[in-house]
Amino acid sequence: MIGSLSRAIDNLFGRGDAAVTVPPLDGAMRPNRALDEADWRSPLADVDCLAVQDRALVASSGNTLHVLGQDGRWSPRKSHAGQIVCIAPAGHDGLAVAKDDGEIVIDGGAFDGRRYRADAAARCITAMVYADGALFVANGSATNAAGYWQKDLLERNASGSVWRIDLASGESRQVAAGLAWPAGLAPDAQSLVVSEAWKHRLVRIGANSGGQPRPVQIDLPGYPGRLSPAAGGWWLAMFAPRSQLVEFVLREPAYRKRMMAEVPREYWVVPKLKSGRSYYEPLQGGGVKHLGLLKPWAPTMSFGMCVGLDQAFQPRLSLQSRADGKHPWHHQRGRR
């Protein structure tokens, strides 16, 4: 009763969950061109996820794993039967490879060749992390596959979950549920820090018991994706910026339903991994200045952004590619 009354008041005054305000890029997240101005890059078409295995940098693209050679070029290493949706180190020299059907295969190391599933219904693997002999797996949604992450956002779902798989015994159990598209995992002492994309926050849960999520970072200016260890902290991928237009659409259920039913998916008013391919895309026209120049501060549906976090998961720096950047999508596609 109190919750319903609170939501009605929020809707009346446009505050709380009904607010369409978006936090600015400020402090450690001040706009910059660090990604565009990087002095080294090695292109790989449709690259999705990165991991280090046996001191080699490995990337997934489609159904193939690629390894970076000493000459700075990618070369195919191994192909799998299905689309690879996530990779992560798994113990000494091992690599966990998750496919779009929910199966996880271990490549190399002590568990080479073994296959696992978090659950028969878990078919939206978005992130994995290894800790203490177990593989923790994030399942982004109970109803949508990873490729339909925009639909899951528009449906305002919170059906994601985190699972723990004992690699020795193969036993799997659910650690947490009811998460709004968990897209990144980081072990921290006896807990896990989870990036919850649709709620724009990082939360902490118990590694064994789950429990009520405790916020670590809230109201981020973008949609947080995967977390990776870094020297003295963590890297957080933010795969798309938040915008007032999207926030407004998310609060209009009738409009959202009609848009999903009547408008082609590529033209939905939603965050994107790539944009600018068609003038029919929302907001792209608003970013074009006269003489054909694109405003670097223009509102966009996509950008590239990595946030450097310290050991307490506090932002310390960011690497960005802005609206006029040449590389507005991130190496870790946070939809997964």
Side-chain angles (χ1 to χ4, degrees):
M1 179 64 182
I2 294 177
S4 299
L5 181 61
S6 177
R7 284 192 292 273
I9 294 174
D10 286 345
N11 288 332
L12 178 62
F13 291 100
R15 69 187 188 189
D17 287 340
V20 296
T21 54
V22 174
L25 293 173
D26 202 357
M29 301 184 198
R30 291 184 64 186
N32 60 70
R33 298 176 184 271
L35 286 181
D36 283 315
E37 295 173 350
D39 57 3
W40 180 87
R41 59 176 57 90
S42 183
L44 178 63
D46 294 326
V47 61
D48 178 21
C49 194
L50 296 173
V52 175
Q53 180 188 20
D54 194 19
R55 299 185 178 181
L57 183 62
V58 180
S60 62
S61 174
N63 67 343
T64 305
L65 295 175
H66 299 258
V67 63
L68 187 67
Q70 294 184 349
D71 59 354
R73 298 177 182 273
W74 295 101
S75 57
R77 196 183 75 176
K78 187 175 184 179
S79 294
H80 288 260
Q83 179 89 7
I84 299 173
V85 294
C86 184
I87 59 176
H92 182 65
D93 294 345
L95 184 72
V97 181
K99 298 186 292 184
D100 58 356
D101 61 356
E103 184 180 61
I104 300 169
V105 183
I106 304 298
D107 182 10
F111 303 100
D112 183 35
R114 291 194 61 175
R115 299 173 183 270
Y116 305 88
R117 284 187 182 275
D119 185 73
R123 296 172 177 268
C124 181
I125 307 301
T126 54
M128 299 184 291
V129 69
Y130 175 85
D132 298 330
L135 188 68
F136 292 89
V137 178
N139 191 54
S141 171
T143 55
N144 291 306
Y148 288 83
W149 61 276
Q150 294 162 317
K151 179 172 180 284
D152 198 77
L153 171 63
L154 290 176
E155 292 174 343
R156 306 204 70 175
N157 288 333
S159 59
S161 53
V162 176
W163 298 77
R164 182 185 186 278
I165 301 176
D166 188 304
L167 292 183
S169 66
E171 293 180 355
S172 174
R173 62 182 175 84
Q174 190 178 77
V175 175
L179 299 172
W181 198 269
L185 298 171
D188 185 39
Q190 297 300 311
S191 64
L192 279 177
V193 172
V194 183
S195 62
E196 204 174 5
W198 304 160
K199 293 187 177 179
H200 329 109
R201 66 178 187 173
L202 304 181
V203 297
R204 188 185 302 276
I205 61 174
N208 294 309
S209 58
Q212 188 69 22
R214 291 169 288 158
V216 176
Q217 283 284 334
I218 62 172
D219 207 18
L220 293 167
Y223 297 89
R226 290 178 179 138
L227 287 155
S228 302
W234 302 88
W235 284 110
L236 169 65
M238 291 236 257
F239 59 89
R242 294 170 63 188
S243 77
Q244 291 179 323
L245 178 60
V246 173
E247 298 292 324
F248 178 74
V249 167
L250 290 176
R251 285 150 182 78
E252 297 293 330
Y255 182 89
R256 282 188 280 116
K257 290 178 181 177
R258 283 197 61 184
M259 180 174 68
M260 286 190 286
E262 301 174 10
V263 178
R265 187 155 62 121
E266 58 268 31
Y267 303 136
W268 288 355
V269 182
V270 287
K272 303 175 187 296
L273 300 180
K274 297 179 181 179
S275 59
R277 291 173 294 183
S278 169
Y279 208 81
Y280 290 109
E281 294 178 7
L283 280 187
Q284 299 311 310
V288 177
K289 196 178 179 180
H290 70 285
L291 301 180
L293 297 178
L294 188 65
K295 305 170 186 174
W297 59 87
T300 62
M301 293 295 185
S302 65
F303 73 173
M305 183 171 180
C306 304
V307 181
L309 308 174
D310 64 14
Q311 292 182 345
F313 295 89
Q314 298 299 312
R316 287 293 177 262
L317 59 92
S318 65
L319 312 176
Q320 301 179 30
S321 178
R322 301 176 68 185
D324 61 342
K326 298 178 181 178
H327 308 279
W329 47 91
H330 197 276
H331 70 273
Q332 288 195 354
R333 293 181 354 194
R335 65 183 171 88
R336 299 171 180 167

